[in-house]
Amino acid sequence: MKDELLDLYREAGRIARRVLSAGEGMVRPGAGVLETVEAVEAMVLSAGAGLAFPLNCSFNEAAAHDTASEGDERVFSTGDLVKLDLGVHLDGYVADTAVTIDLGDHGELVQASRAALDAAIALARPGITTGELGGAIQAAIEFHGYRPVANLTGHGLDRYLLHGPPGVPNIGHPGGMPLQEGQVVAIEPFASTGSGLVSEAARVEIFGQIAVRPTRLPSARRLLDLVRERHGMPFSRRWLDLPKRDVALANLVKQGIVRTYPVLHDVPGSFVSQAEHTLVILEDGCLVTTA
Ligand code: MN
Ligand code: MN
């Protein structure tokens, strides 16, 4: 990887680490979800970077893809297990990192996903397969007595591309893709007290453009004008200041121009923890850009 490119990944990682750490300190019982999410997102922009996706703020059995909605009145409460997942980009080069904040008594569960991430990072180098990384993640989570979430994976990153190859599973399997020098990979173990499988909830606050096609509805056209500069990276409903926004979104989803990212959750009453870092694979190991 060229030095200038590595520098961009490093700088995006530095900003993400600093902002996420500040966000972690804001998640306290009684604090507002909307205020917290907006404050964290504003810190990224004032650092001169862009948001690769809306700040994910997912509670308890929700593993991912929740964020504040417009007028969101939710507050953090004692007992909550909160995942903050932040994506920062510089010129399209992404740092993707997440932490879990325990407002209850889920310390061991938080430790499980962290230990799994550490185990994967310790192994990450050219030639190791994604199946072997998944095996290390699974073993660490099961050692702590929880289930890895089998249908969520880490992923390769590329310019403006958030979920490219290779997928990095949270469970072991034979084979898989060998990592290569120069690849950028986000690894994100999820540990659960529930079934270890997530499904889609009805709640949708995050969207992304997946096709470029002309559309007739004027409000839909204006929405596409607003999100064009995202180059396909996800956006939140809350970001769109537009009359007939929800009609436009529904129309674009129906046409297959925009996709939804529904909240992903394990069974009701369960708790899911997440830890995530972005890595650049180097000749003799890896550089963790977000650590
Ligand atoms: Mn993430
Ligand atoms: Mn990710």
Side-chain angles (χ1 to χ4, degrees), residues 13-37:
R14 267 195 290 268
I15 294 168
R17 176 189 57 216
R18 177 172 61 76
V19 171
L20 188 61
S21 157
E24 209 176 333
M26 298 171 66
V27 175
R28 291 292 171 260
V33 173
L34 178 61
E35 293 72 15
T36 303
V37 168

Side-chain angles (χ1 to χ4, degrees), residues 245-261:
R245 171 191 64 190
D246 291 347
V247 173
L249 273 173
N251 177 273
L252 289 165
V253 168
K254 196 172 163 198
Q255 292 187 75
I257 296 174
V258 164
R259 63 157 286 184
T260 60
Y261 291 88

Side-chain angles (χ1 to χ4, degrees), residues 10 17 96 126 139 143 151 173 177 188 238 251 254 268:
R10 282 186 132 118
R17 176 189 57 216
D96 184 2
F143 174 80
N151 59 346
H173 63 87
M177 283 168 77
E188 47 183 316
R238 157 175 63 77
N251 177 273
K254 196 172 163 198

Side-chain angles (χ1 to χ4, degrees), residues 76-113:
F76 301 108
S77 304
T78 301
D80 281 341
L81 189 69
V82 180
K83 276 76 59 184
L84 289 185
D85 190 337
L86 176 67
V88 167
H89 80 92
L90 287 171
D91 208 19
Y93 300 103
V94 175
D96 184 2
T97 181
V99 287
T100 301
I101 300 119
D102 177 25
L103 302 180
D105 56 354
H106 305 285
E108 181 86 10
L109 181 63
V110 173
Q111 193 49 41
S113 49

Side-chain angles (χ1 to χ4, degrees), residues 256-280:
I257 296 174
V258 164
R259 63 157 286 184
T260 60
Y261 291 88
V263 174
L264 298 172
H265 64 106
D266 204 328
V267 292
S270 65
F271 290 89
V272 178
S273 73
Q274 175 196 19
E276 180 175 25
H277 277 310
T278 296
L279 286 57
V280 179

Side-chain angles (χ1 to χ4, degrees), residues 21-244:
S21 157
E24 209 176 333
M26 298 171 66
V27 175
R28 291 292 171 260
V33 173
L34 178 61
E35 293 72 15
T36 303
V37 168
E38 285 186 332
V40 170
E41 291 183 349
M43 280 187 266
V44 172
L45 303 184
S46 47
L51 288 156
F53 48 83
L55 179 70
N56 283 212
C57 178
S58 306
F59 284 71
N60 303 330
E61 75 264 31
H65 296 173
D66 202 354
T67 190
S69 43
E70 192 173 74
D72 204 321
E73 292 184 345
R74 291 177 297 170
V75 294
F76 301 108
S77 304
T78 301
D80 281 341
L81 189 69
V82 180
K83 276 76 59 184
L84 289 185
D85 190 337
L86 176 67
V88 167
H89 80 92
L90 287 171
D91 208 19
Y93 300 103
V94 175
D96 184 2
T97 181
V99 287
T100 301
I101 300 119
D102 177 25
L103 302 180
D105 56 354
H106 305 285
E108 181 86 10
L109 181 63
V110 173
Q111 193 49 41
S113 49
R114 267 193 213 150
L117 178 56
D118 290 345
I121 288 171
L123 293 172
R125 61 172 52 81
I128 188 150
T129 66
T130 52
E132 290 171 309
L133 292 174
I137 290 169
Q138 176 174 9
I141 290 172
E142 289 177 349
F143 174 80
H144 285 270
Y146 302 104
R147 290 202 167 101
V149 175
N151 59 346
L152 288 174
T153 67
H155 47 92
L157 290 163
D158 210 334
R159 194 178 187 196
Y160 296 116
L161 178 67
L162 276 172
H163 288 103
V168 181
N170 291 318
I171 49 170
H173 63 87
M177 283 168 77
L179 296 187
Q180 293 169 29
E181 186 182 347
Q183 273 179 333
V184 185
V185 186
I187 298 185
E188 47 183 316
F190 289 85
S192 179
T193 65
S195 68
L197 289 171
V198 290
S199 51
E200 295 182 348
R203 178 176 169 86
V204 180
E205 290 296 329
I206 300 178
F207 300 83
Q209 187 176 357
I210 49 169
V212 178
R213 274 205 300 276
T215 183
R216 303 220 313 264
L217 190 70
S219 60
R221 282 222 285 268
R222 281 196 293 273
L223 194 153
L224 290 179
D225 285 342
L226 278 184
V227 304
R228 183 165 299 123
E229 63 178 21
R230 296 209 50 74
H231 300 274
M233 295 185 299
F235 57 88
S236 78
R237 190 195 305 271
R238 157 175 63 77
W239 289 355
L240 305 170
D241 181 15
L242 196 71
K244 300 185 184 163

